Amino acid sequence: RDKDFSWDDLNKLKEELGQSVIQFVAQVNRIITNPEIINNLGDKRDHFNKVVALFFNDINNFSNKIRELREQHENRSGPVKDINEFNIYNRIAISYHSLFVELTTLVTPTLSDIMLTVSEVTNSTVIDQPVN
């Protein structure tokens, strides 16, 4: 029965989580490198800069959590062999799933704040560009 579980599944979870982080960072990078936005911040510049700094600090700390979790299984591959391995596998899988929730909870308020600030200072079509 334990043969249905593979350490490689944890690598997939790690990759999906990493892709989510990359997408959020790309979204913020598109905003902070857009001259139309940056040049129109005016008196919102300090607030904007603080929120962006908070976003990147949060993302950095979050990335460290992913790294710590990855280190717990990076030398394992193939099928989960026994109940002891399954317990480790299961704990790590649950941790990855809770990190997905944590990521959303972590970045949503900051991202919303950034978007709101941007929409107040510029044409909102600038930030509605799809992610490549």
Side-chain angles (χ1 to χ4, degrees):
R1 189 173 66 152
D2 294 334
K3 302 284 183 254
D4 298 341
F5 298 96
S6 170
W7 291 105
D8 304 320
D9 296 338
L10 295 179
N11 290 325
K12 287 185 190 115
L13 288 174
K14 178 202 71 174
E15 292 302 322
E16 287 174 27
L17 197 54
Q19 283 304 313
S20 297
V21 168
I22 289 168
Q23 286 174 349
F24 284 127
V25 169
Q27 202 173 352
V28 172
N29 276 334
R30 271 199 316 281
I31 294 167
I32 64 177
T33 57
N34 185 317
E36 186 179 337
I37 294 171
I38 299 307
N39 296 335
N40 289 304
L41 286 169
D43 62 351
K44 303 234 182 253
R45 182 175 302 278
D46 284 345
H47 174 75
F48 179 83
N49 289 341
K50 282 180 190 151
V51 176
V52 168
L54 176 64
F55 169 82
F56 282 107
N57 186 53
D58 286 348
I59 284 292
N60 188 43
N61 291 336
F62 187 81
S63 297
N64 288 333
K65 290 182 181 183
I66 297 173
R67 191 173 308 110
E68 288 168 11
L69 199 53
R70 184 198 70 217
E71 288 169 358
Q72 296 176 33
H73 67 89
E74 66 185 343
N75 296 324
R76 298 174 185 256
S77 63
V80 173
K81 295 180 183 72
D82 57 39
I83 192 68
N84 290 332
E85 278 197 4
F86 176 75
N87 288 338
I88 295 167
Y89 166 93
N90 198 40
R91 178 183 49 76
I92 295 171
I94 290 168
S95 295
Y96 273 120
H97 287 292
S98 64
L99 282 179
F100 276 101
V101 174
E102 184 180 328
L103 179 62
T104 306
T105 308
L106 184 69
V107 300
T108 301
T110 318
L111 217 45
S112 297
D113 195 337
I114 291 171
M115 297 303 195
L116 186 64
T117 303
V118 166
S119 68
E120 290 172 4
V121 300
T122 189
N123 180 346
S124 63
T125 58
V126 169
I127 58 173
D128 293 333
Q129 304 303 316
V131 176
N132 292 339

